[in-house]
Amino acid sequence: MEENTIIHGFKLWKKDEVAEVASTAYTFEHVKSGARLFFLQNDDDNKVFSISFRTPPVDDTGVAHIVEHSTLCGSRKYPLKEPFVELVKGSLNTFLNAMTYPDKTMYPVASRNDKDFQNLMDVYLDAVFYPNMRENPQVLMQEGWHYEIETPEEPLRYSGVVYNEMKGALSSPDDLLESRIMHSLYPDTTYGHESGGDPEAIPDLTQEKFIAFHQKYYHPSNSYLYLYGDMDIEEKLAYLDDAYLSHFDRIPVPSKIDRQKEFTKLQRVTVPYPVSADEGTAEKTFLTLNWTTGESLDPKTMMGLEILEHALLRTPAAPLRKALVDAKLGKDVDSIFENDMLQPFFSIIINNSEADRLDKFYHLTMTKLQQLAENGIDRELLEASINLMEFRLREADFGSAPKGLIYGIRIMKSWLYGGDPETYLRYEGLLQQMKDGLASRYFESLIEEYFLGNPHRTLLAMVPDTELAARREKEQEEKLAKKKASLSAKEIEDIIAATRALKERQQSPETEEALKTIPVLKLSDIRKKSYALPLEVRALDDTKVLFSDVNTNGIAYLNLYFDASRVSQAELPYLYLLSELIGMVDTQEHTYAELANLRNLHTGGMTSDVVVYTKNGEPDSIAPKLRIKAKALVEKLPKLMDLLQEILTESQFTDEKRLQELIEQEEASIELNLQRSANQIIVSRLAAYLSKAGRYADEGGLPFYPFLKEFAADFTGSLKKMQDVFKGLLPKVFNRHNLMVSITLREKEYADFAKAFAPLQQALSKEEFPAQSYDWDIKPLNEGLTSSSRVQYVGKAANFLRLGYHFTGSMAVLETLLRYDYFWTKIRVQGGAYGAFTGFNRNGFMYFGSYRDPNLKETLDVFDGTADYAANFTASEREMDKFIIGTMSGVDTPMTPMMKGDAAATCYLRGITEADRQQRRDEILATRQEDIRALAPLIDACMKENVLCVFGNDEKIAEAKDVFGAIKPAL
């Protein structure tokens, strides 16, 4: 294909090589419709397609977000209620979702199967251009909001998926804080609005505005199409032109993002946020200093600011962070550099503070920035931050997300605003400019231009209010009562009828005819043999080594597993504390700041955590490990091992000031992440009710918080005790006899690892310690965990092995059925929750959970009805095959080199063999209707155990007090 030629209606404007992503880049424009298309051609079989639209909101109703949900609720060619769900059930997708950003909406899909990929593209294109939402007002009612009432006597209430999703999202203080920061910086542009929707404003969205938003922005002339991977591009262009784009004429779409007019001086803002009365308000204020920082069309400045954020605020060696921590303005320092928008912003945040410290925070920050600009930033610190960025760019490890998906999101940083799409894929030249900047005042000049000399800044305090939640609920009740009082009897009947009609639609099954419109693969398209996890058990002297021979592009992925079964029950909080502190304190040779620089200069990072394994099929087994994860280039392995040896054998837990900072930071982190991780909290608590392994793991969860709080309250006494405990704990944990290692690299690189590992191995303690026993009283507590959350996270669990049942691959198919059929319909569609989740594990632990859920008892009733659903489950052969295929998309998620090594090691540690993995795969592929029905007695027995846990709103939990064994504040 040559530049300036027209291929199937598309003019090729530019063809170029992008070496950084090993691709040839093609930039097209569809002549008739004005659609833009960017294609990255390479040999990756994990193909990606995305269609995106510039969608700037002009209010807080969340219209962009609600339209994103609603386009996927049926279309011209696919007249089902929810084609998206049918796709999830029956596709081999490696990614399938849609995302709303402050100024754009993206619809990406990915698959390694050619036929599946084409199916996904077609469903998404038909959804965005020809959605049923334009004709059917019940779609807005379901996905956005509606008045709900079932009898004339009931109070009027709001419901809707996005309405409840955003009640949950904005219950999280950090999400709310970012929303308030943006509102303060961009009062006159689209970025000042909550694109997800503010629950107070969502009910202002009318059907007319909803349809108008789609008609205005969802046109090819306002679209950005993206293709990535190994495919026949001419075939795709012909399809896009013929099936969709040729049916539209180019039109002007007024979607330009306006720039915020620059402030002339600092703006001060104070906003409230809700906390429960149990939490209190002392040291719960967030202080933030915020700037707009240039434009995303300037990639050099964006990379410079990203490096600057890391160097000044994100590493233990960061000087601005250190100055703010030393000033004791709060318990922790955080930062945001958001550059996925035309006018990026930079925020410095103090957590757990007080409003009267705002001026001190401001003056200290500006003074320290002035000093750094005048005296210069430590070059080794900057070099370390540049090195870490370079390592991550070259590694390109995005976990389970396809590379092409991340590249597709990255290109929008320039493409959406008229820049070249490949701008943010190229990094070699930028990295060189950053390295060159070390020899000049480049980074200091960024401070001068974007922080010191930039008048567009806000100083914001977000202060806790124990009465806000109740006041807001009361105002809403009064507003709804007033609305109801204004309605005639007929209007109330109309709402009752509309509620009933919506529920009837939600409960009605899809017709066989509609279901057949969704293209489905055949079971024969599924690989029969399980993908191997490369693992060879070796030994270096007396240390077991789990070796995975994988092409890692010259990176070594190392895990050290230290057996923690020698740690006594009384020492467990200190083990979890050790996992937080290790690597963050001084050693005999270096300060913690010097260590941080060395880590960033020579490695791709190190982390530590406590993980608890159970043996396959043995619910009472327990194998706890303190795990150190590290990665480095193979040639840097000697340096990595030196650093690990120093950290594990020479750490000094004596610097009172540093230890107090770390304790307070961890305490603040748990508080801040409480709402965000509420679903994990309930699963962890349920597991703790049911097994010693679950209890051991949960010791690092909610119970760890009061330990930290007590530690901070009597810091001097607690520190002395910690130091005494650590004297016995460190040789028990960092012990040669306790150690198992996993290493992922090429066979030819193994000798380099073995040689580098030997000195570390020799340096570890060789003393032998006996295994400990744990005598917890394992029983269901059935807790209601209260907070200021406006939604609930509801969970039920049991152990089916203990009830006499066995694990089978059919459970994975049941998970798919529950998540995207029974729970989806009952909890999300009808209940208005954001979602539900479930799991059946080989150790017998099974759990059901809901996410951002307005309900509580109703959801427990849904869980209790699951056995009936399974017992009466019916599906045609075609539908059954679809559920199996959808299940296999999760089983066969493509893995990065690091993920392959980790998965192989986990299987070894849990005693899961290749034969076990193959058996599960065979059982999934062979699952039929009767296998699902056969699981009904298991589910019934589990639900009758009545083991439950709920995190949520204190009033909602109080209303349901009879279902709980105990009600207490989550923190």
Side-chain angles (χ1 to χ4, degrees):
M1 289 186 287
E2 298 300 319
E3 290 181 359
N4 295 315
T5 56
I6 294 178
I7 306 129
H8 302 296
F10 286 88
K11 185 170 185 177
L12 176 59
W13 284 109
K14 187 178 174 189
K15 176 183 176 183
D16 209 356
E17 297 302 316
V18 185
E20 289 90 338
V21 294
S23 302
T24 305
Y26 299 83
T27 305
F28 296 94
E29 185 176 48
H30 190 256
V31 178
K32 184 172 188 288
S33 70
R36 308 156 189 83
L37 187 144
F38 184 63
F39 171 48
L40 284 175
Q41 183 180 47
N42 51 58
D43 60 3
D44 193 341
D45 72 340
N46 198 1
K47 295 170 285 295
V48 177
F49 164 76
S50 175
I51 182 164
S52 304
F53 302 91
R54 197 156 54 198
T55 51
V58 295
D59 56 33
D60 292 332
T61 61
V63 59
H65 187 188
I66 296 168
V67 168
E68 174 233 301
H69 277 239
S70 301
T71 56
L72 297 169
C73 290
S75 67
R76 173 193 63 174
K77 285 166 71 173
Y78 305 104
L80 299 94
K81 289 179 291 184
E82 302 199 70
F84 170 78
V85 179
E86 296 305 320
L87 278 177
V88 174
K89 289 178 192 171
S91 157
L92 283 175
N93 73 83
T94 53
F95 188 86
L96 182 71
N97 213 331
M99 296 94 83
T100 303
Y101 291 83
D103 56 12
K104 62 183 173 285
T105 309
M106 299 186 70
Y107 295 86
V109 296
S111 180
R112 298 167 80 180
N113 180 287
D114 291 345
K115 194 165 132 193
D116 188 42
F117 183 65
Q118 182 62 38
N119 294 345
L120 294 170
M121 280 179 65
D122 198 61
V123 174
Y124 264 44
L125 285 162
D126 206 65
V128 297
F129 290 130
Y130 303 103
N132 287 348
M133 55 168 263
R134 295 190 301 204
E135 287 79 41
N136 187 343
Q138 289 181 324
V139 175
L140 172 59
M141 290 173 69
Q142 175 179 295
E143 297 300 318
W145 77 278
H146 62 275
Y147 290 118
E148 189 163 292
I149 186 170
E150 292 177 11
T151 67
E153 299 76 34
E154 287 179 1
L156 206 58
R157 58 189 179 274
Y158 296 128
S159 190
V161 173
V162 169
Y163 176 76
N164 288 312
E165 177 189 348
M166 295 310 297
K167 279 176 81 173
L170 296 181
S171 290
S172 177
D174 50 344
D175 282 350
L176 184 63
L177 181 63
E178 187 164 347
S179 179
R180 299 302 180 251
I181 288 169
M182 290 180 69
H183 185 70
S184 77
L185 286 170
Y186 311 100
D188 309 314
T189 77
T190 190
Y191 294 136
H193 299 297
E194 177 51 67
S195 60
D198 186 321
E200 311 312 311
I202 287 172
D204 295 335
L205 180 62
T206 64
Q207 179 74 13
E208 292 71 30
K209 289 179 183 173
F210 173 63
I211 300 308
F213 190 89
H214 182 273
Q215 288 175 333
K216 181 176 184 179
Y217 295 124
Y218 280 64
H219 187 281
S221 297
N222 189 43
S223 71
Y224 299 79
L225 293 115
Y226 166 71
L227 286 161
Y228 165 95
D230 183 8
M231 67 185 74
D232 181 343
I233 186 62
E234 292 204 27
E235 176 196 295
K236 295 293 181 236
L237 296 178
Y239 153 74
L240 288 166
D241 174 63
D242 180 60
Y244 291 97
L245 300 180
S246 63
H247 303 283
F248 295 87
D249 292 318
R250 185 187 293 256
I251 61 167
V253 178
S255 64
K256 182 173 170 285
I257 310 298
D258 292 325
R259 288 163 173 79
Q260 173 63 47
K261 186 181 175 187
E262 191 174 274
F263 298 164
T264 55
K265 61 179 182 178
L266 172 75
Q267 307 287 309
R268 290 171 172 269
V269 183
T270 300
V271 293
Y273 80 99
V275 295
S276 66
D278 297 321
E279 291 178 61
T281 60
E283 298 207 318
K284 294 281 185 178
T285 293
F286 294 83
L287 310 179
T288 76
L289 177 55
N290 320 287
W291 296 265
T292 57
T293 46
E295 292 197 354
S296 65
L297 291 168
D298 177 3
K300 180 184 176 184
T301 296
M302 294 304 103
M303 184 179 278
L305 288 169
E306 205 170 329
I307 288 165
L308 206 55
E309 181 198 19
H310 186 266
L312 299 187
L313 290 154
R314 289 257 167 204
T315 162
L320 179 53
R321 176 187 175 83
K322 188 173 186 308
L324 292 168
V325 169
D326 287 350
K328 296 194 173 300
L329 294 167
K331 288 183 183 173
D332 200 7
V333 177
D334 203 354
S335 62
I336 301 170
F337 175 47
E338 178 55 72
N339 65 351
D340 270 317
M341 48 200 290
L342 176 61
Q343 280 184 287
F345 71 90
F346 195 110
S347 295
I348 301 170
I349 302 163
I350 304 285
N351 298 329
N352 297 82
S353 188
E354 294 287 359
D356 61 8
R357 301 172 193 165
L358 198 59
D359 285 332
K360 186 179 178 184
F361 162 54
Y362 177 68
H363 292 302
L364 175 60
T365 302
M366 299 306 290
T367 301
K368 187 64 182 176
L369 287 169
Q370 185 76 47
Q371 289 171 357
L372 289 163
E374 289 175 1
N375 303 331
I377 306 164
D378 175 46
R379 263 35 205 171
E380 188 176 71
L381 172 68
L382 285 169
E383 188 183 348
S385 294
I386 293 169
N387 177 77
L388 193 64
M389 171 168 278
E390 181 172 3
F391 187 99
R392 288 175 180 163
L393 285 168
R394 296 195 192 288
E395 182 187 28
D397 184 336
F398 309 114
S400 58
K403 277 186 187 183
L405 169 72
I406 304 303
Y407 297 151
I409 294 170
R410 205 175 273 175
I411 64 174
M412 300 305 285
K413 291 184 184 190
S414 54
W415 199 22
L416 193 76
Y417 314 115
D420 290 333
E422 67 268 30
T423 299
Y424 277 89
L425 302 177
R426 300 187 187 280
Y427 57 76
E428 293 291 2
L430 291 172
L431 282 172
Q432 190 55 53
Q433 288 178 300
M434 297 302 112
K435 292 171 185 176
D436 293 345
L438 294 171
S440 69
R441 293 191 72 259
Y442 174 66
F443 291 98
E444 289 78 6
S445 71
L446 289 179
I447 292 177
E448 289 165 347
E449 181 175 355
Y450 293 103
F451 303 133
L452 298 174
N454 178 3
H456 197 103
R457 60 181 86 146
T458 64
L459 188 61
L460 181 145
M462 191 168 85
V463 299
D465 184 338
T466 56
E467 297 173 359
L468 177 60
R471 196 164 60 241
R472 190 169 53 192
E473 293 305 315
K474 186 169 185 292
E475 285 169 3
Q476 188 178 98
E477 282 174 21
E478 289 172 353
K479 182 179 176 182
L480 286 165
K482 189 176 176 184
K483 172 68 180 176
K484 188 183 177 190
S486 74
L487 298 172
S488 67
K490 180 177 185 309
E491 286 171 324
I492 290 173
E493 270 307 320
D494 288 345
I495 293 174
I496 293 171
T499 302
R500 190 184 308 119
L502 178 62
K503 289 190 183 299
E504 284 170 3
R505 177 179 186 266
Q506 291 167 338
Q507 290 167 8
S508 64
E510 302 282 13
T511 66
E512 204 63 37
E513 184 183 12
L515 286 169
K516 282 181 178 169
T517 63
I518 293 285
V520 177
L521 301 175
K522 295 184 173 64
L523 279 186
S524 56
D525 293 320
I526 307 283
R527 174 188 167 112
K528 299 290 182 285
K529 185 154 172 38
S530 182
Y531 285 94
L533 291 174
L535 185 78
E536 187 183 335
V537 181
R538 296 184 175 178
L540 289 172
D541 288 343
D542 53 353
T543 300
K544 190 175 284 187
V545 179
L546 309 178
F547 167 56
S548 291
D549 182 0
V550 177
N551 181 7
T552 61
N553 293 319
I555 296 172
Y557 294 101
L558 174 72
N559 288 356
L560 304 178
Y561 297 93
F562 290 101
D563 185 357
S565 65
R566 270 71 181 156
V567 178
S568 71
Q569 191 167 318
E571 292 170 324
L572 282 188
Y574 294 95
L575 174 71
Y576 281 97
L577 184 58
L578 175 63
S579 76
E580 298 296 334
L581 300 180
I582 197 71
M584 304 298 286
V585 296
D586 298 347
T587 64
Q588 291 168 21
E589 295 175 53
H590 295 102
T591 66
Y592 69 86
E594 290 168 345
L595 268 181
N597 273 350
L598 289 169
R599 266 201 310 268
N600 292 335
L601 277 168
H602 298 294
T603 81
M606 297 180 194
T607 59
S608 56
D609 60 355
V610 177
V611 282
V612 186
Y613 299 97
T614 53
K615 282 291 182 188
N616 183 15
E618 299 176 21
D620 296 318
S621 61
I622 177 168
K625 310 281 182 189
L626 191 150
R627 177 177 61 181
I628 309 281
K629 290 174 71 78
K631 55 189 175 183
L633 295 172
V634 171
E635 60 262 32
K636 290 275 193 176
L637 273 170
K639 194 67 193 174
L640 171 63
M641 296 300 179
D642 285 348
L643 285 168
L644 284 169
Q645 180 179 332
E646 182 180 342
I647 287 166
L648 298 181
T649 65
E650 299 178 20
S651 287
Q652 308 285 293
F653 299 95
T654 52
D655 182 344
E656 293 193 23
K657 177 174 166 294
R658 175 62 177 162
L659 289 164
Q660 188 164 16
E661 289 166 8
L662 291 169
I663 297 285
E664 289 182 351
Q665 285 166 21
E666 181 59 21
E667 189 186 342
S669 174
I670 292 174
E671 291 174 8
L672 190 63
N673 291 318
L674 180 70
Q675 304 279 354
R676 193 183 289 280
S677 58
N679 54 320
Q680 296 163 347
I681 286 168
I682 62 166
V683 173
S684 181
R685 294 302 291 159
L686 289 165
Y689 299 165
L690 293 166
S691 72
K692 285 186 176 180
R695 179 64 184 270
Y696 194 116
D698 190 55
E699 287 293 304
L702 273 189
F704 191 48
Y705 179 77
F707 169 79
L708 291 170
K709 208 162 178 60
E710 287 166 22
F711 198 117
D714 174 23
F715 182 76
T716 305
S718 299
L719 178 63
K720 175 72 173 67
K721 184 174 182 190
M722 183 201 85
Q723 290 166 339
D724 290 343
V725 172
F726 273 18
K727 279 176 194 167
L729 186 63
L730 288 163
K732 273 186 201 174
V733 176
F734 300 131
N735 188 300
R736 181 168 169 165
H737 300 301
N738 279 359
L739 178 61
M740 184 184 296
V741 176
S742 80
I743 184 74
T744 304
L745 35 59
R746 297 307 328 231
E747 173 67 61
K748 65 185 180 186
E749 298 159 339
Y750 184 82
D752 295 326
F753 154 72
K755 183 180 177 185
F757 175 67
L760 168 62
Q761 185 185 33
Q762 295 300 323
L764 294 169
S765 161
K766 299 176 185 63
E767 197 178 343
E768 299 212 26
F769 296 89
Q772 299 291 308
S773 60
Y774 304 98
D775 60 355
W776 293 297
D777 183 13
I778 303 297
K779 63 181 182 183
L781 299 179
N782 289 9
E783 293 163 308
L785 303 169
T786 62
S787 76
S788 59
S789 174
R790 300 181 74 183
V791 287
Q792 282 61 249
Y793 300 78
V794 182
K796 275 197 94 169
N799 191 292
F800 58 81
L801 292 181
R802 290 214 186 90
L803 296 173
Y805 297 92
H806 65 276
F807 177 82
T808 168
S810 299
M811 291 171 174
V813 183
L814 179 59
E815 284 181 27
T816 303
L817 282 165
L818 295 182
R819 212 174 283 139
Y820 297 114
D821 191 53
Y822 178 63
F823 287 170
W824 184 278
T825 302
K826 294 288 186 185
I827 294 174
R828 179 180 165 115
V829 173
Q830 294 173 19
Y834 185 48
F837 53 93
T838 177
F840 292 81
N841 297 342
R842 287 179 180 273
N843 63 7
F845 180 52
M846 67 132 291
Y847 55 87
F848 297 155
S850 69
Y851 188 79
R852 293 180 180 168
D853 188 347
N855 302 308
L856 197 163
K857 278 187 169 180
E858 298 87 343
T859 299
L860 291 171
D861 289 342
V862 172
F863 293 156
D864 289 341
T866 307
D868 283 343
Y869 165 79
N872 296 300
F873 175 72
T874 56
S876 65
E877 288 292 308
R878 182 181 186 276
E879 288 299 294
M880 201 67 234
D881 287 354
K882 188 163 75 177
F883 290 125
I884 292 167
I885 291 163
T887 302
M888 291 307 299
S889 77
V891 173
D892 287 342
T893 299
M895 289 194 276
T896 64
M898 183 173 73
M899 289 166 70
K900 287 177 185 173
D902 284 354
T906 298
C907 284
Y908 178 84
L909 287 161
R910 294 203 56 212
I912 299 168
T913 65
E914 285 293 329
D916 292 329
R917 293 176 62 243
Q918 186 62 51
Q919 180 181 346
R920 176 175 179 257
R921 189 183 192 89
D922 292 343
E923 288 169 351
I924 291 171
L925 292 172
T927 299
R928 294 289 99 189
Q929 178 177 287
E930 53 272 21
D931 297 302
I932 299 300
R933 290 180 175 180
L935 292 170
L938 177 154
I939 298 165
D940 186 49
C942 285
M943 290 300 98
K944 282 178 177 165
E945 291 290 287
N946 202 39
V947 178
L948 61 93
C949 181
V950 178
F951 174 104
N953 178 267
D954 42 13
E955 288 184 17
K956 194 82 174 177
I957 285 174
E959 286 171 15
K961 62 181 185 296
D962 54 309
V963 307
F964 298 110
I967 294 176
K968 64 178 190 179
L971 292 182

